[in-house]
């Protein structure tokens, strides 16, 4: 009995100790997390370092930084590190935190074409808890942290003084996770909470970190696939699909060599492939036929052709009947037996209207037998026969993807196949034009072996590599910009000089005894200091184009989709039908109206539930339309049977107790509540003339609320909210105006002024007492001169327009010339867009020619060709993407363009 009691006590003791240890580990102990455990396998890349500060400094001190710093991603990374350091106390505290601690920088896809960076930092247990508190205590004045929970983990959202969210931060055990994308932080938390998920760590766990280097680059097939999806104009392709399922990952140590940035390290590949190069390799024989018009080249150089057959393209779907024919009529007859393990795929210049010219080169020990077997196979499959060009017989195979069926799915893209031979090399091309190109260059000696104009990159093609892929940057550049989606195409064009500072990029795989090693090389000119030529116009291609049945007469106007915070577009056609289009280009609704829209498009929260409705006016009705296309209660309604000229939306205190400020053709002002009832003092308020632009409400510091209207005959009308005239009302500012006034806060006088310009070019500043404090006549050289004030899209700033004869001059708010440009007509629309930080655009739309010309404020055209437009354009700046969205209407078509910042 005593023994059983002792055993029972021992069991209870062990149970309590184990339970206590579990409770301690679960609730009191700070969990040690490898940074890679919270990073998705879909990451485009991961850079891991344990000497972050030293690594960063070595890059900045290296000549390559002169190239890298021109890319906005690297400049933004530098700025973000400086910001993080300042939040953590400054003076290099972030750098000190990085010493001897694991840190990662990873790039992730966060949208169809968007990518964001995730930072992780493993902290010492002693500093982890102080990390967040230190950051909280260092935020600038006006900034704030907003705490929240996600999966029971604390998340801090950092907002700047403009109430823009800049950072999401979470502490997961001793691991700090930081990103400008809250999605990435939440994803990291999901990996932290659910430890059984397949993270990036599970991919590279067999490859230990090399402590002798300062950092390593981790790449996977999935990550490269997500990169191509975001950049390419075609999100679905065989290349992307093959990367998505590629069973490989590389861990490449960073080595900064003279005039070359190199990443080198082990390869993990599920397939059992020996990348030892062929001892029969004859690179010279291939260089004899590699055209100087090669843009990129893939080299497979293994011990035998059957070793190359182990490299398969899992994304390729073979046609069973065709594969069976190849197996029986070629492979079973020993077609490949005389082939060496050398295969070269060339991406060639696009000629003859072909989108992609490809050439596949193989070498065989019995070229006559190989050609004869191909002829017999061709004869058994069809009666297509052969052709002759430049002394070469060319076999033709109409069956799609003949090389891919022959070589285990490798080399897709051959819609048809043309085959000839040169010495002991078989040449496969995917078009007749590609075959003619190859033979013409072989006959003229314009090849890598025989031409003095062969690219320098050929020295990087080596017979000692088992596999390599090389891109000749300058040669392939036009192809990349054309195949990229519109957003990335304009970005590539803008930063082309920086990209071309790397004349070629190569990736190699070599077998070194019992291990496989990869090398990624970026050679560059050590003296290169690329500049970004923002003056260069860019060739824009539409990113979306939507056609309607009728000509469009209004819009595009952008509004917010309250459901997902994306942008919708409003347009109206000549049958007066209003169309709402979502960000995917789909029509949400179409609603017939009583006539053309005469107002801007506004959004109201009628029910005060954060669900927004559209507010627009025609000449006889005011419409309130919800997202389903249904009218709000009591809408549409008229205004005392008068014709509406202008509508403005007023919300005095952001309380959603809206007022509709209306001017009519009869010379009256009305103020309505959101139910359409006319308010006292405004039923109507008679001013005796039409207004220039919409009447507006202004809250003037120290003076209160003003309701302001400018009449066509130049009278300034000032009222309080009850419709009572204020001191100085009805003052005559000038004879007549063609553009409305703007309320401008003068930083010098710290006062708010009403600024305008008369049709004759007289600039006028007035205060809200009707007192004119400034008049200045601009130069007028022509009786038909045109003078306008053009506000920016938010009414925060403005420019003046002076058109004399056929020249338009743009002047700043101080009437100083900004730039001038030649115009060919008088029927012009001017628009000014200011997105801050040097991002200003000026648009001139010629309504007669139906073209829009887009300039920066240096007068440089931003596009090589004008944009087709029959009215005002709409521009939005997407700061997270660093790009402008430009929407135009031409005829019955709504078009969207993307322009890189």
């Amino acid at each position: 009995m005593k023994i059983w009691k002792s055993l029972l006590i021992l069991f209870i003791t062990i149970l309590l100790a184990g339970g206590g240890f579990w409770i301690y580990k679960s609730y009191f102990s700070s969990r040690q997390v490898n940074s890679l455990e919270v990073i998705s396998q879909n990451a485009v890349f991961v850079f891991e370092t344990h000497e972050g500060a030293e690594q960063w400094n070595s890059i900045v001190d290296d000549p390559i930084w002169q190239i890298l710093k021109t890319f906005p991603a690297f400049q933004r990374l530098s700025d973000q590190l400086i910001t993080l350091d300042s939040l953590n106390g400054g003076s290099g505290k972030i750098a000190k935190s990085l010493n001897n601690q694991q840190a990662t920088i990873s790039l992730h896809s966060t949208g169809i074409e968007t990518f964001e960076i995730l930072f992780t930092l493993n902290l010492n247990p002693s500093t982890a808890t102080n990390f967040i508190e230190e950051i909280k205590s260092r935020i600038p004045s006006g900034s704030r942290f907003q705490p929240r929970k996600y999966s029971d983990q604390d998340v801090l959202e950092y907002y700047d003084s403009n109430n823009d969210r800049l950072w999401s931060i979470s502490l997961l055990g001793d691991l700090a996770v930081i990103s400008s994308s809250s999605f990435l932080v939440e994803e990291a938390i999901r990996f932290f909470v659910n430890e059984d998920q397949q993270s990036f760590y599970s991919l590279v766990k067999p490859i230990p970190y090399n402590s002798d280097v300062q950092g390593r680059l981790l790449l996977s097939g999935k990550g490269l696939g997500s990169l191509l999806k975001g950049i390419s104009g075609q999100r679905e392709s065989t290349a992307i699909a093959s990367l998505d399922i590629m069973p490989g990952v590389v861990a490449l140590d960073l080595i900064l060599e003279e005039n070359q940035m190199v990443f080198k390290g082990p390869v993990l590949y599920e397939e059992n492939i020996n990348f030892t190069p062929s001892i029969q390799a004859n690179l010279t024989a291939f260089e004899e036929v590699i055209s100087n018009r090669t843009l990129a080249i893939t080299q497979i150089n293994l011990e035998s052709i059957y070793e190359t057959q182990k490299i398969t393209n899992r994304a390729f779907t073979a046609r069973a009947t065709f594969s069976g024919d190849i197996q029986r009529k070629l492979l079973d007859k020993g077609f490949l037996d005389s082939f060496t393990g050398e295969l070269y795929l060339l991406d060639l210049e696009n000629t003859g209207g072909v989108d992609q010219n490809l050439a596949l080169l193989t070498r065989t020990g019995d070229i006559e037998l190989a050609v004869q077997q191909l002829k017999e196979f061709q004869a058994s499959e069809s009666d297509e026969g052969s052709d002759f060009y430049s002394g070469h017989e060319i076999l033709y195979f109409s069956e799609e993807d003949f090389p891919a069926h022959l070589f285990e799915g490798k080399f897709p893209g051959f819609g048809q196949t043309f085959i000839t031979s040169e010495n002991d090399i078989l040449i496969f091309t995917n078009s007749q034009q590609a075959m003619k190109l190859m033979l013409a260059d072989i006959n003229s000696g314009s090849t890598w072996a025989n031409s003095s104009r062969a690219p320098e990159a050929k020295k990087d093609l080596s017979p000692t590599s088992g596999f390599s892929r090389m891109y000749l940057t300058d040669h392939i550049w036009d192809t990349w910009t054309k195949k990229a989606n519109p957003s990335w195409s304009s970005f590539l064009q803008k930063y082309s000089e920086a990209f071309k500072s790397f004349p070629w990029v190569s990736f190699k795989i070599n077998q070194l005894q019992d291990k496989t090693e990869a090398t990624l090389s970026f050679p560059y000119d050590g003296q290169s200091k690329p500049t970004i030529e923002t003056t260069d116009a860019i060739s824009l291609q539409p990113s979306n184009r939507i056609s309607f049945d009728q000509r469009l007469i209004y819009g595009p106007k952008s509004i917010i989709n309250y459901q997902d915070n994306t942008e919708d577009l409003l347009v109206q056609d000549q049958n007066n039908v209003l169309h709402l289009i979502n960000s995917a280009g789909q029509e949400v609704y179409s609603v017939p109206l009583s006539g053309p829209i005469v107002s801007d498009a506004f959004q109201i929260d009628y029910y005060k539930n954060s669900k927004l409705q559209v507010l627009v006016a025609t000449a006889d009705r005011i419409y309130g339309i919800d997202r389903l296309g249904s009218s709000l209660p009591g809408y549409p309604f008229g205004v005392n049977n008068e014709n509406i000229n202008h509508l403005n939306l007023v919300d005095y205190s952001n309380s959603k107790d809206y007022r509709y400020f209306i001017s009519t053709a009869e010379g009256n002002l009305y103020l309505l509540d959101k139910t359409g009832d006319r308010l006292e003092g405004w039923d109507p308020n008679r001013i005796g003339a039409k207004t220039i632009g919409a009447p507006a409400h202004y809250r003037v510091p120290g003076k209160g609320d003003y309701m302001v209207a400018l009449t066509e005959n130049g009278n300034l009308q000032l009222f309080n909210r009850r419709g009572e005239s204020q001191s100085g009302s009805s003052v005559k500012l000038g004879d007549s105006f063609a553009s409305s006034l703007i309320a401008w806060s003068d930083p010098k006088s710290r006062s708010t002024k009403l600024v305008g310009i008369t049709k004759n070019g007289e600039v006028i500043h007035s205060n809200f007492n009707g007192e004119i404090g400034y008049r200045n006549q601009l130069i007028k050289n022509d009786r038909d001169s045109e003078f306008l004030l053009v506000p920016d899209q938010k009414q925060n700033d403005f420019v003046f327009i002076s058109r004399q004869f056929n020249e338009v001059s743009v002047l700043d708010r101080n009437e100083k010339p900004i730039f001038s440009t030649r115009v060919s007509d008088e029927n012009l629309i001017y628009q000014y867009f200011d997105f801050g930080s040097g991002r200003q655009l000026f648009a001139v739309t010629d309504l007669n020619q139906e073209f829009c010309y887009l300039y920066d404020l240096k007068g440089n055209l931003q596009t090589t060709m004008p944009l087709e437009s029959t009215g005002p354009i709409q521009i939005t700046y997407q700061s997270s993407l660093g790009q402008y969205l430009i929407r135009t209407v031409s005829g019955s078509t709504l078009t969207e363009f993307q322009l890189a910042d």
Side-chain angles (χ1 to χ4, degrees):
M1 181 64 70
K2 290 183 178 180
I3 294 176
W4 285 108
K5 286 183 178 179
S6 300
L7 288 175
L8 181 60
I9 292 171
L10 178 61
F11 174 75
I12 293 173
T13 302
I14 293 173
L15 185 65
L16 290 174
F21 178 75
W22 177 82
I23 292 172
Y24 169 76
K25 290 292 291 183
S26 300
Y27 297 98
F28 300 101
S29 170
S30 184
R31 174 178 152 196
Q32 294 292 318
V33 185
N34 187 301
S35 295
L36 302 177
E37 294 180 46
V38 300
I39 297 175
S40 167
Q41 292 184 3
N42 292 324
V44 173
F45 71 79
V46 181
F47 187 79
E48 178 188 10
T49 180
H50 289 242
E51 298 292 341
E54 187 176 343
Q55 176 67 83
W56 179 255
N57 291 334
S58 66
I59 292 175
V60 172
D61 293 339
D62 194 84
I64 199 172
W65 181 247
Q66 298 301 318
I67 300 172
L68 297 180
K69 72 178 183 180
T70 60
F71 293 110
F74 282 93
Q75 191 57 58
R76 184 170 59 183
L77 175 59
S78 177
D79 294 341
Q80 288 177 341
L81 289 174
I82 292 171
T83 302
L84 286 173
D85 188 55
S86 67
L87 290 177
N88 200 230
S91 303
K93 281 200 172 185
I94 284 289
K96 295 172 185 176
S97 301
L98 293 174
N99 287 334
N100 300 315
Q101 298 296 321
Q102 184 192 32
T104 66
I105 298 173
S106 53
L107 183 69
H108 302 256
S109 173
T110 55
I112 294 177
E113 301 171 3
T114 61
F115 300 90
E116 294 289 348
I117 289 175
L118 175 70
F119 298 94
T120 71
L121 174 60
N122 252 306
L123 302 168
N124 289 318
S126 59
T127 61
T129 54
N130 296 328
F131 180 79
I132 298 296
E133 296 304 319
E134 183 74 32
I135 288 178
K136 286 182 177 180
S137 67
R138 296 283 180 175
I139 62 173
S141 176
S143 303
R144 63 185 175 86
F145 273 110
Q146 181 71 42
R148 65 181 178 92
K149 289 277 189 180
Y150 184 81
S151 294
D152 291 330
Q153 300 295 319
D154 292 324
V155 178
L156 282 179
E157 306 282 12
Y158 173 58
Y159 292 82
D160 65 8
S161 56
N162 294 323
N163 205 35
D164 294 326
R165 188 185 58 78
L166 300 184
W167 296 97
S168 294
I169 304 172
S170 185
L171 194 61
L172 309 177
D174 292 339
L175 182 68
V177 178
I178 308 167
S179 178
S180 57
S181 167
S182 60
F183 166 79
L184 294 182
V185 171
E186 291 172 359
E187 183 180 61
I189 292 174
R190 289 196 295 272
F191 276 106
F192 176 76
V193 173
N194 304 304
E195 299 179 50
D196 57 341
Q197 288 193 82
Q198 294 297 302
S199 65
F200 215 100
Y201 181 67
S202 60
L203 284 179
V204 299
K205 188 176 181 180
I207 309 176
Y209 184 84
N210 183 0
S211 59
D212 293 332
V213 299
Q214 294 179 359
R216 65 176 181 173
L217 179 68
L218 307 175
L219 300 171
S220 70
K222 286 184 179 180
L224 296 177
S226 67
L227 175 65
L228 287 184
K229 286 179 184 177
I231 294 177
S232 175
Q234 185 178 0
R235 287 179 55 81
E236 302 296 332
S237 69
T238 305
I240 292 174
S242 62
L243 284 170
D244 279 342
I245 59 175
M246 178 182 288
V249 63
V250 293
L252 309 176
D253 298 334
L254 172 59
I255 305 168
L256 295 175
E257 299 179 354
E258 184 177 3
N259 293 337
Q260 186 168 227
M261 180 170 64
V262 178
F263 297 89
K264 183 178 293 187
V267 178
L268 284 182
Y269 196 75
E270 288 183 9
E271 307 292 350
N272 185 22
I273 300 170
N274 186 341
F275 283 95
T276 300
S278 171
I279 59 174
Q280 306 175 57
N282 187 349
L283 178 58
T284 303
F286 283 95
E287 289 182 333
E288 293 278 352
V289 297
I290 296 177
S291 166
N292 278 348
R293 288 185 274 183
T294 297
L295 312 178
I297 185 168
T298 301
Q299 174 197 40
I300 299 176
N301 177 36
L302 304 183
E303 289 182 323
S304 74
I305 189 64
Y306 294 107
E307 192 68 29
T308 70
Q309 293 291 71
K310 295 180 182 179
I311 302 176
T312 61
N313 179 4
R314 298 181 178 183
F316 178 73
T317 303
R319 294 184 298 283
T321 54
F322 191 44
S323 294
D325 289 343
I326 290 175
Q327 184 67 43
R328 287 183 294 104
K329 299 175 183 180
L330 280 177
L331 300 182
D332 288 348
K333 293 182 178 181
F335 175 69
L336 294 180
D337 289 352
S338 63
F339 280 58
T340 67
E342 300 161 279
L343 302 169
Y344 289 77
L345 179 70
L346 314 181
D347 290 63
L348 302 170
E349 285 184 3
N350 299 334
T351 60
V354 180
D355 290 337
Q356 184 180 37
N357 282 317
L358 299 174
L360 173 64
L361 312 178
T362 68
R363 194 164 70 90
T364 173
D366 194 339
I367 192 69
E368 292 181 0
L369 175 61
V371 171
Q372 183 59 37
Q373 288 178 312
L374 285 170
K375 286 182 177 180
E376 292 173 359
F377 177 73
Q378 180 196 52
S380 70
E381 292 290 304
S382 66
D383 56 357
E384 288 155 344
S386 60
D387 194 5
F388 289 87
Y389 180 80
S390 191
H392 291 71
E393 183 179 12
I394 302 171
L395 305 180
Y396 172 64
F397 293 84
S398 60
E399 195 75 40
E400 187 176 0
D401 282 322
F402 175 54
H405 283 84
L406 187 62
F407 296 109
E408 295 295 334
K410 298 185 290 294
F411 319 122
F414 285 69
Q416 52 188 348
T417 305
F418 299 81
I419 305 175
T420 193
S421 62
E422 175 70 15
N423 298 325
D424 58 350
I425 292 183
L426 276 178
I427 303 173
F428 302 70
T429 68
N430 69 334
S431 69
Q432 192 175 45
Q433 293 88 338
M435 181 60 76
K436 290 180 177 180
L437 180 155
M438 289 288 294
L439 294 179
D441 286 350
I442 290 170
N443 291 336
S444 65
S446 183
T447 62
W448 282 22
N450 301 318
S451 172
S452 60
R453 300 183 60 223
E456 183 187 1
K458 80 171 192 176
K459 69 183 182 182
D460 219 1
L461 194 64
S462 170
T464 62
S465 295
F467 172 90
S468 70
R469 175 71 173 169
M470 181 191 302
Y471 298 94
L472 284 70
T473 313
D474 195 52
H475 294 66
I476 203 171
W477 192 253
D478 288 343
T479 300
W480 279 353
T481 56
K482 289 176 182 176
K483 289 189 174 182
N485 60 51
S487 171
W488 280 93
S489 177
S490 60
F491 174 84
L492 292 175
Q493 291 178 66
K494 181 171 184 177
Y495 294 94
S496 62
E497 186 179 346
F499 281 106
K500 291 179 182 179
S501 296
F502 302 103
W504 71 89
V505 178
S506 72
F507 177 76
K508 301 177 183 178
I509 298 178
N510 296 309
Q511 192 75 33
L512 302 177
Q513 295 179 349
D514 60 342
K515 66 177 182 178
T516 307
E517 184 177 79
T519 304
L520 177 62
S521 302
F522 295 86
Y524 63 92
D525 177 5
Q527 304 302 314
S528 178
K529 294 184 179 180
T531 58
I532 304 306
E533 296 293 337
T534 56
T535 60
D536 288 348
I538 290 173
S539 175
L540 288 187
Q541 296 298 321
S543 57
N544 200 3
R545 181 174 276 146
I546 304 168
S547 296
F548 297 83
D549 294 333
Q550 302 294 325
R551 182 173 60 89
L552 300 176
I553 61 171
Y554 176 86
K557 297 287 186 178
S558 67
I559 61 174
I560 298 299
N561 178 352
Y562 66 84
Q563 295 173 330
D564 57 11
N565 210 37
T566 58
E567 273 193 344
D568 293 337
L569 294 177
L570 284 171
V571 293
Q572 186 185 29
D573 65 31
Q574 64 183 0
N575 288 342
N576 301 322
V577 176
L578 179 68
H579 304 271
L580 179 67
I581 309 299
N582 65 19
S583 59
Q586 301 166 330
E587 184 170 87
V588 179
Y589 63 68
S590 58
V591 176
L593 307 183
S594 62
I597 296 173
V598 299
S599 70
D600 201 348
F602 302 97
Q603 285 185 282
I604 59 174
D605 185 357
Y606 186 86
Y607 297 106
K608 298 185 179 182
N609 60 358
S610 299
K611 296 182 179 180
L612 303 179
Q613 300 85 35
V614 170
L615 180 75
V616 293
T618 63
D620 61 346
R621 292 285 186 273
I622 293 176
Y623 289 83
I625 305 169
D626 67 20
R627 187 156 182 84
L628 298 178
S630 303
S631 295
L632 292 173
Y635 287 72
F637 52 79
V639 181
N640 204 25
N641 293 320
E642 295 188 25
N643 291 311
I644 300 170
N645 269 5
H646 298 285
L647 163 70
N648 211 339
L649 179 66
V650 178
D651 186 359
Y652 296 122
S653 303
N654 199 31
S655 61
K656 302 179 182 178
D657 294 319
Y658 302 109
R659 300 291 184 262
Y660 302 158
F661 201 5
I662 297 161
S663 63
T664 67
E666 289 76 10
N668 296 322
L669 297 177
Y670 288 88
L671 194 65
L672 281 60
D673 65 18
K674 66 180 182 181
T675 66
D677 290 338
R678 300 191 291 272
L679 301 182
E680 186 178 352
W682 300 95
D683 188 20
N685 196 324
R686 305 180 187 279
I687 56 175
K690 298 178 182 179
T691 63
I692 296 294
H697 161 260
Y698 299 109
R699 180 160 290 173
V700 183
K703 295 182 69 67
D705 293 312
Y706 284 81
M707 313 298 281
V708 180
L710 175 67
T711 61
E712 287 181 334
N713 55 15
N715 287 333
L716 174 65
Q717 306 290 344
L718 299 170
F719 304 95
N720 62 19
R721 285 162 56 171
R722 296 183 296 277
E724 300 165 343
S725 292
Q726 298 298 284
S727 173
S729 184
S730 297
V731 64
K732 184 79 168 178
L733 295 184
D735 290 335
S736 60
F737 290 76
S739 55
S740 58
L741 304 176
I742 185 173
W744 176 57
S745 297
D746 186 348
K748 293 182 179 179
S749 64
R750 298 182 181 179
S751 61
T752 302
K753 301 176 180 178
L754 292 168
V755 180
I757 187 170
T758 67
K759 285 184 177 180
N760 288 323
E762 186 179 28
V763 177
I764 297 173
H765 293 188
S766 170
N767 63 20
F768 281 82
N769 293 325
E771 300 167 343
I772 298 174
Y774 176 82
R775 288 183 184 272
N776 184 48
Q777 177 65 50
L778 300 184
I779 296 174
K780 182 178 181 180
N781 297 320
D782 178 17
R783 183 181 63 183
D784 296 324
S785 294
E786 182 180 28
F787 295 96
L788 297 168
L789 182 149
V790 180
D792 68 20
Q793 77 280 9
K794 292 185 177 180
Q795 298 276 326
N796 291 332
D797 202 355
F798 60 93
V799 294
F800 294 111
I801 298 300
S802 170
R803 186 182 60 78
Q804 315 275 346
F805 301 106
N806 62 343
E807 183 175 84
V808 169
S809 296
V810 182
L811 294 77
D812 66 15
R813 70 182 77 87
N814 297 315
E815 303 151 43
K816 304 297 182 184
I818 301 175
F819 74 90
S820 297
T821 186
R822 308 286 286 186
V823 294
S824 59
D825 220 309
E826 298 180 1
N827 195 12
L828 306 173
I829 296 175
Y830 308 99
Q831 292 174 272
Y832 175 45
F833 301 90
D834 187 347
F835 302 100
S837 301
R839 301 184 184 95
Q840 290 84 26
L841 296 173
F842 187 79
V844 180
T845 301
D846 186 326
L847 295 180
N848 291 335
Q849 297 188 39
E850 299 185 353
F851 283 137
C852 176
Y853 301 87
L854 197 61
Y855 302 87
D856 63 15
L857 290 195
K858 294 181 180 179
N860 300 308
L861 276 170
Q862 299 299 286
T863 61
T864 55
M865 297 293 291
L867 308 177
E868 293 185 0
S869 179
T870 52
I873 68 173
Q874 191 277 330
I875 302 181
T876 297
Y877 179 69
Q878 296 178 308
S879 58
S880 61
L881 303 181
Q883 71 176 14
Y884 302 95
L885 281 184
I886 304 170
R887 285 77 170 242
T888 68
V889 159
S890 179
S892 60
T893 303
L894 168 64
T895 306
E896 180 180 85
F897 302 90
Q898 296 171 331
L899 176 66
D901 177 12

